[in-house]
Amino acid sequence: MAANGKPRSIVNTETFPCVRCGLTVTATAPDGSRRNHCPSCLHSQHVLDRVEGGPSECRSRMIPISIAVLRTGDWMIIHRCTRCGELTSNPICGDDNQLILMRMAVRPLAQPPFPLEAFGDL
């Protein structure tokens, strides 16, 4: 408790530099959860090994490649490591670049793996 009787707020000032754009990123998202990607370009760094369950020795850049939507409606960013190819999923944060998120979300509709002209024959 502070001297004025109100609870003290803890400010987390931990930051990390974005591996792609160089932005200094606060490790805490606006909702208080831990952030592991840049809110501007959505890139990350491969620091956790999902298979082995510990720190990754790879340390390469993780590029955002897609969006997944959970049954709860929460959006996840799918990252792929540029060195080893490992895929990870991480929740979006409230201050993430909305334009990039929407571009990734609509990409399957805008660039389907088949010609759109095929629908004319249906």
Side-chain angles (χ1 to χ4, degrees), residues 43 46 58 60-63 80-86:
H43 283 68
H46 194 177
C58 184
S60 290
R61 185 164 44 114
M62 303 284 284
I63 60 172
R80 178 187 299 132
C81 180
T82 57
R83 181 174 172 206
C84 71
E86 183 173 331

Side-chain angles (χ1 to χ4, degrees), residues 39-101:
S40 179
C41 69
L42 305 183
H43 283 68
S44 184
Q45 186 172 25
H46 194 177
V47 294
L48 292 176
D49 188 324
R50 306 277 184 193
V51 176
E52 298 295 325
S56 174
E57 295 177 10
C58 184
R59 311 284 302 169
S60 290
R61 185 164 44 114
M62 303 284 284
I63 60 172
I65 61 167
S66 186
I67 295 293
V69 181
L70 303 178
R71 290 181 183 151
T72 61
D74 294 334
W75 283 28
M76 304 289 282
I77 301 173
I78 308 301
H79 287 102
R80 178 187 299 132
C81 180
T82 57
R83 181 174 172 206
C84 71
E86 183 173 331
L87 296 174
T88 63
S89 63
N90 298 287
I92 66 165
C93 298
D95 61 346
D96 283 347
N97 186 319
Q98 295 175 357
L99 180 59
I100 295 175
L101 290 170

Side-chain angles (χ1 to χ4, degrees), residues 111-122:
Q111 300 172 343
F114 50 82
L116 290 175
E117 293 77 29
F119 285 113
D121 297 336
L122 295 178

